[in-house]
């Protein structure tokens, strides 16, 4: 199995970062076209990226505001049953985001593209939370 790792620092308090990765407005401003779900253990999220990418995930771990993890239950076959985890820690005005997308079955082309895309999306998360920058979805997917 293979995993994707990224760490970044965001100049926002931990609660704001947690909300940015768990709330519908937060997710829709940096990752999804639209989303639905509540940050609670066992809750289902809908992660919609377009007609061919209407995915679902279950919250498999949560500790507000330090940890949030989904397990993908309906997705592309390479993402199926993988876990997306955000571990947050606070240091003054900064929050460290330790990101892991784990459980990939192989290091294939999709894994490599996804690792790059995650870096770009996490940059979008940082820019959204620090500067209020919202990149329209059609442009986000073209990066």
């Amino acid at each position: 199995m293979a995993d994707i790792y990224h760490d970044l620092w965001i100049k926002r308090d931990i609660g704001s970062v947690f909300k940015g990765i768990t709330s519908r407005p937060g997710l829709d401003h940096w990752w999804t076209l639209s989303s639905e779900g509540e940050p609670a253990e066992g809750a289902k999220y809908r992660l919609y990226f377009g007609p061919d990418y209407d995915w679902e995930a279950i919250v498999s771990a949560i500790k507000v505001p330090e940890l949030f993890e989904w397990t993908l239950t309906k997705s592309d076959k390479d993402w199926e049953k993988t876990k997306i985890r955000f571990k947050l820690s606070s240091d003054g005005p900064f929050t460290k985001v330790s990101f892991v997308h784990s459980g990939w079955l192989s290091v294939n082309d999709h894994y490599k593209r996804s690792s790059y895309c995650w870096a770009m999306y996490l940059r979008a998360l940082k820019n959204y939370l620090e500067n209020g920058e919202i990149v329209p979805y059609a442009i986000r997917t073209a990066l």
Side-chain angles (χ1 to χ4, degrees), residues 29-30 123-135:
H29 287 322
W30 67 272
R123 180 175 178 252
L125 169 66
K126 177 180 174 71
N127 289 338
Y128 163 62
L129 291 173
E130 288 184 353
N131 307 314
E133 180 181 309
I134 300 169
V135 177

Side-chain angles (χ1 to χ4, degrees), residues 1 3-4 24 37 45 75 80-81 94 99 122 125 131:
M1 291 212 171
D3 301 331
I4 296 169
R24 180 180 189 161
Y45 270 75
S75 63
E80 194 86 16
K81 297 181 184 171
F94 292 92
F99 171 87
L122 292 170
L125 169 66
N131 307 314

